[in-house]
Amino acid sequence: MSWEPELEELRRREALARDPASHPDRASRVERQHAAGKLTVRERVERLLDPGTFHETGALAGVGGYGEDGELDTFMPANMVVGQGEADGRGLVVQADDFTIRGGAADAAIWQKMVHAERMAHDLRLPLARLVDGTGGGGSVKSLEQMGFTYVPFLPGMEVAVENLAIVPVVAAALGPVAGLGAARVVASHFSVIVRGSGQLFVAGPPVVAAAMGESPDKEALGGARAQTRAGAVDNEAADEDDALAQLRRFLSYLPANVWELPPIAASTDAPDRREESLLSIVPRDPRKPYAMRAILEAVLDRGSLFELGARHGRSAICALGRLDGRPVGVIASDPKHYGGGLTGDASDKLVRFVDLCDQFRLPVVNLVDQPGFVIGTEAERAGTMRRGARALFAVHQASVPWASVLVRKVYGVAGAAHADASRLLVRYAWPSGDWGSLPIAGGLEAAYRRELEAAEDPVALRAEIEARLNAVRSPFRTAERFGVEEIIDPRETRPLLCAWARRAHELVAHERGGGPKARGPRP
């Protein structure tokens, strides 16, 4: 006796799960999805993964409608697709919401599928991609009437999701309006992206905000891409869904599959000894003038390898991934176009998260420094800048990955001192434009010589005389004489030196025994 009838039933149910036309309500919702410029859940999975590599788990889970004869008439699949495949030839677990089924609401889901995907990533030690297009943990309040009871909220699989952040790369995309639990799933990741125009993220959507707070924002004003990337809740904005999926893949290309493996080295066609003439004159002699720090990064890193994270948030600090002779590195840099590169509270938070990412996945860090110090003033104090800045200092000192600093220009105060952990071997190169001290002369001179200036017949002339004396001892060569800085280099030598450092840094990472998650004390 053959089991062909059961296999035929299996094929029929799988087809019903994958065919939007299998349920009349779902077919019209797919049309609306496409009309809004959005892909369906399976189209997203196909574009994220290498062709033909996706193996789905739990396709038969859902709600069946049965006739009087007990046979299946209709089938509404669970509104989450999970499984594993490959992205650029490397394993990846996918957890994707289906907005065409009850708007991706959790009360229409079978939550075990979501937890199963988290567990797959955890136990198989594979990266996890969450394609989020759904609402919160409770779904619609209509579910209360349907169930006939309510419940104390719980977060299924939360313990696994928390552990995953410590062991595998987790990426997420907000591909539609996401609220509550959906929003939490996006932000609880190492890298997140939101689609401009069609993606929004909020704790609660406009109707709830209107009822509870008396406000009346639309979805874009409340949680659109520009608002959330500026706030730092989401890292990057994407032009469309294809761009969002491409950014997820690109981020993962710099990281190992898990904390027990090494960062992947890519083939490079960019000569490690390339010397960029533009670096000789890119920093202006006037210390008050800004310049394009990103141009320096592009010149130093492998061409086309710079991938910035969170560009709109904490804008005085640049955090990015890049490659040096094919070897992935984390990149930190000051942006003198914003607060002169000074460290704000937002920039401090951004640095903490990024340094943690690099440290956890053993990415060596390059820091290009033009740091005038913490941003000061009333607003800075109200923002708790010192406490948030102290967390950034702790992050740098608690990181154990190889670290190299390039002192491009200013290195002042406590924030400047935190450009590296001075208790370790300092791999540090200074440009001739280096300018450092406990306080910039511009503010420190008036404080230190206040009495002399107040008593002087010509305060302006005396100030100029004092400044000239101080400038005479500011030369970076005088610091080098005392071995206060290890090497002053021709800026054009920056790439060759960093490429050589990156080779050794990756060797050191490879020599670590055991690997695995890192533990550290709490930060203030």
Side-chain angles (χ1 to χ4, degrees):
M1 179 179 177
S2 169
W3 290 93
E4 185 58 36
E6 285 79 8
L7 292 177
E8 179 60 33
E9 177 67 7
L10 171 62
R11 287 189 287 269
R12 183 169 80 95
R13 286 173 178 257
E14 288 177 337
L16 288 173
R18 293 180 171 89
D19 182 10
S22 63
H23 195 286
D25 291 341
R26 190 176 174 215
S28 62
R29 290 169 185 165
V30 168
E31 292 177 3
R32 289 202 297 271
Q33 186 95 339
H34 283 153
K38 298 170 65 177
L39 302 173
T40 64
V41 63
R42 295 184 184 280
E43 290 169 341
R44 290 166 176 165
V45 172
E46 288 172 2
R47 298 192 189 193
L48 175 66
L49 297 175
D50 299 342
T53 64
F54 182 57
H55 180 83
E56 186 173 355
T57 302
L60 301 187
V63 178
Y66 291 85
E68 294 181 359
D69 58 358
E71 295 296 319
L72 183 71
D73 287 340
T74 61
F75 180 70
M76 179 68 80
N79 60 2
M80 177 176 284
V81 173
V82 304
Q84 59 180 305
E86 294 182 357
D88 298 322
R90 304 170 68 214
L92 178 63
V93 174
V94 179
Q95 179 193 86
D97 295 345
D98 189 345
F99 191 77
T100 67
I101 302 174
R102 287 291 304 277
D107 60 357
I110 294 177
W111 59 263
Q112 291 89 342
K113 290 187 73 173
M114 178 180 70
V115 176
H116 186 79
E118 298 281 345
R119 177 60 68 184
M120 285 172 65
H122 181 280
D123 289 9
L124 298 177
R125 295 182 177 178
L126 289 175
L128 172 65
R130 302 185 186 124
L131 308 184
V132 186
D133 191 0
T135 58
S140 168
V141 293
K142 287 183 179 179
S143 61
L144 300 180
E145 188 173 9
Q146 293 165 357
M147 292 187 301
F149 66 93
T150 187
Y151 56 89
V152 177
F154 73 105
L155 297 174
M158 186 64 179
E159 69 284 357
V160 187
V162 170
E163 289 182 16
N164 277 342
L165 279 184
I167 63 174
V168 296
V170 179
V171 296
L175 301 173
V178 300
L181 180 59
R185 287 166 55 215
V186 172
V187 303
S189 62
H190 297 111
F191 172 68
S192 58
V193 63
I194 184 169
V195 178
R196 181 170 62 241
S198 60
Q200 299 88 28
L201 181 143
F202 16 65
V203 176
V208 178
V209 170
M213 307 300 294
E215 303 174 6
S216 55
D218 61 22
K219 289 190 296 185
E220 273 298 302
L222 184 62
R226 182 164 291 274
Q228 293 294 17
T229 51
R230 282 181 172 174
V234 181
D235 295 305
N236 285 12
E237 179 184 284
D240 53 31
E241 292 195 19
D242 283 327
D243 181 28
L245 300 176
Q247 288 195 47
L248 298 187
R249 288 173 66 115
R250 188 172 183 194
F251 176 85
L252 291 172
S253 72
Y254 295 89
L255 298 181
N258 55 63
V259 295
W260 290 273
E261 296 185 10
L262 298 174
I265 299 175
S268 176
T269 58
D270 195 354
D273 59 353
R274 172 169 55 83
R275 300 169 84 251
E276 286 291 331
E277 292 297 322
S278 62
L279 297 180
L280 194 59
S281 57
I282 195 167
V283 177
R285 286 191 172 274
D286 185 343
R288 295 168 297 182
K289 286 187 176 180
Y291 55 91
M293 177 60 83
R294 288 174 181 82
I296 295 178
L297 301 182
E298 294 281 3
V300 169
L301 298 168
D302 291 359
R303 287 191 177 96
S305 73
L306 181 66
F307 181 57
E308 188 170 352
L309 313 178
R312 286 187 180 146
H313 177 66
R315 298 178 72 182
S316 61
I318 298 171
C319 296
L321 299 172
R323 290 188 177 90
L324 288 165
D325 197 21
R327 292 166 176 82
V329 294
V331 180
I332 298 171
S334 318
D335 189 351
K337 292 185 177 181
H338 298 279
Y339 294 104
L343 203 56
T344 65
D346 283 350
S348 298
D349 293 345
K350 178 176 171 180
L351 283 175
V352 169
R353 183 163 172 259
F354 184 72
V355 171
D356 281 356
L357 169 73
C358 295
D359 197 40
Q360 197 73 1
F361 292 101
R362 292 171 170 78
L363 284 180
V365 175
V366 176
N367 187 9
L368 282 87
V369 186
D370 187 355
Q371 181 54 260
F374 289 117
V375 170
I376 61 175
T378 305
E379 288 302 315
E381 300 302 340
R382 289 174 178 169
T385 299
M386 185 51 71
R387 177 170 292 279
R388 296 161 78 184
R391 294 187 72 247
L393 308 189
F394 271 55
V396 171
H397 279 257
Q398 290 177 331
S400 60
V401 291
W403 192 288
S405 293
V406 179
L407 309 186
V408 176
R409 189 163 64 176
K410 297 176 183 176
V411 192
Y412 277 99
V414 176
H419 69 271
D421 177 2
S423 68
R424 300 166 55 189
L425 173 67
L426 280 174
V427 179
R428 185 167 61 178
Y429 305 106
W431 286 10
S433 48
D435 179 16
W436 39 66
S438 59
L439 280 173
I441 285 179
L445 188 153
E446 279 77 4
Y449 294 92
R450 179 173 57 84
R451 291 183 179 178
E452 291 93 327
L453 291 171
E454 289 176 349
E457 293 184 5
D458 189 346
V460 175
L462 178 58
R463 188 195 186 285
E465 178 188 329
I466 296 171
E467 184 172 3
R469 295 201 310 263
L470 293 173
N471 281 334
V473 300
R474 285 175 60 203
S475 167
F477 297 108
R478 293 210 183 187
T479 309
E481 287 174 4
R482 303 299 297 269
F483 202 59
V485 66
E486 295 73 30
E487 294 186 54
I488 298 176
I489 64 169
D490 182 331
R492 294 168 293 188
E493 291 297 316
T494 305
R495 173 174 167 79
L497 287 168
L498 288 180
C499 284
W501 165 82
R503 286 194 295 274
R504 182 56 181 156
H506 274 258
E507 290 172 359
L508 292 172
V509 169
H511 290 160
E512 287 188 17
R513 296 187 178 274
K518 297 192 175 185
R520 58 174 61 88
R523 294 185 178 134

